[in-house]
Short mmCIF file of all heavy atoms in Angstrom, two decimals:
data_model
loop_
_atom_site.label_atom_id
_atom_site.label_comp_id
_atom_site.label_asym_id
_atom_site.label_seq_id
_atom_site.Cartn_x
_atom_site.Cartn_y
_atom_site.Cartn_z
N ASP A 423 12.77 -13.69 11.28
CA ASP A 423 12.42 -12.74 10.22
C ASP A 423 13.10 -13.08 8.89
O ASP A 423 12.73 -12.57 7.86
CB ASP A 423 12.86 -11.32 10.63
CG ASP A 423 12.06 -10.83 11.82
OD1 ASP A 423 10.88 -11.24 11.93
OD2 ASP A 423 12.60 -10.05 12.61
N ASN A 424 14.10 -13.99 8.93
CA ASN A 424 14.87 -14.23 7.72
C ASN A 424 14.36 -15.40 6.93
O ASN A 424 15.05 -15.91 6.04
CB ASN A 424 16.35 -14.46 8.11
CG ASN A 424 16.49 -15.67 9.04
OD1 ASN A 424 15.49 -16.35 9.33
ND2 ASN A 424 17.68 -15.91 9.53
N GLY A 425 13.15 -15.89 7.23
CA GLY A 425 12.61 -16.98 6.48
C GLY A 425 13.07 -18.32 6.94
O GLY A 425 12.73 -19.35 6.35
N GLY A 426 13.88 -18.37 8.01
CA GLY A 426 14.34 -19.65 8.52
C GLY A 426 13.24 -20.38 9.26
O GLY A 426 12.12 -19.93 9.34
N THR A 427 13.58 -21.53 9.81
CA THR A 427 12.56 -22.36 10.48
C THR A 427 12.80 -22.33 11.97
O THR A 427 13.88 -22.08 12.47
CB THR A 427 12.64 -23.81 10.00
OG1 THR A 427 13.94 -24.33 10.31
CG2 THR A 427 12.38 -23.89 8.50
N SER A 428 11.72 -22.55 12.70
CA SER A 428 11.75 -22.65 14.15
C SER A 428 11.12 -24.00 14.46
O SER A 428 9.98 -24.07 14.89
CB SER A 428 10.97 -21.52 14.79
OG SER A 428 10.92 -21.65 16.20
N SER A 429 11.86 -25.09 14.24
CA SER A 429 11.29 -26.44 14.29
C SER A 429 11.32 -26.98 15.69
O SER A 429 12.12 -26.57 16.54
CB SER A 429 12.02 -27.36 13.35
OG SER A 429 13.38 -27.45 13.74
N ILE A 430 10.42 -27.92 15.94
CA ILE A 430 10.39 -28.68 17.19
C ILE A 430 10.96 -30.04 16.89
O ILE A 430 10.49 -30.74 16.00
CB ILE A 430 8.96 -28.79 17.72
CG1 ILE A 430 8.46 -27.38 18.05
CG2 ILE A 430 8.92 -29.68 18.95
CD1 ILE A 430 7.02 -27.38 18.50
N PRO A 431 12.05 -30.49 17.59
CA PRO A 431 12.71 -31.74 17.25
C PRO A 431 11.87 -32.95 17.66
O PRO A 431 11.92 -33.39 18.80
CB PRO A 431 14.00 -31.68 18.04
CG PRO A 431 13.69 -30.80 19.21
CD PRO A 431 12.71 -29.79 18.70
N VAL A 432 11.10 -33.48 16.76
CA VAL A 432 10.32 -34.68 17.01
C VAL A 432 10.63 -35.70 15.93
O VAL A 432 10.37 -35.45 14.75
CB VAL A 432 8.82 -34.39 17.02
CG1 VAL A 432 8.03 -35.67 17.26
CG2 VAL A 432 8.49 -33.38 18.09
N THR A 433 11.23 -36.84 16.28
CA THR A 433 11.50 -37.91 15.32
C THR A 433 10.97 -39.20 15.90
O THR A 433 11.00 -39.41 17.11
CB THR A 433 13.00 -38.04 15.04
OG1 THR A 433 13.68 -38.29 16.29
CG2 THR A 433 13.56 -36.80 14.38
N PHE A 434 10.50 -40.08 15.05
CA PHE A 434 9.93 -41.35 15.50
C PHE A 434 10.79 -42.49 14.99
O PHE A 434 11.35 -42.44 13.88
CB PHE A 434 8.50 -41.51 14.99
CG PHE A 434 7.57 -40.46 15.53
CD1 PHE A 434 7.29 -39.33 14.76
CD2 PHE A 434 7.02 -40.58 16.77
CE1 PHE A 434 6.45 -38.35 15.25
CE2 PHE A 434 6.18 -39.61 17.27
CZ PHE A 434 5.90 -38.48 16.50
N ALA A 435 10.87 -43.57 15.78
CA ALA A 435 11.66 -44.72 15.38
C ALA A 435 11.17 -45.31 14.07
O ALA A 435 11.93 -45.76 13.23
CB ALA A 435 11.63 -45.78 16.49
#
Side-chain angles (χ1 to χ4, degrees):
D423 294 329
N424 60 5
T427 61
S428 176
S429 61
I430 296 176
V432 179
T433 57
F434 298 96

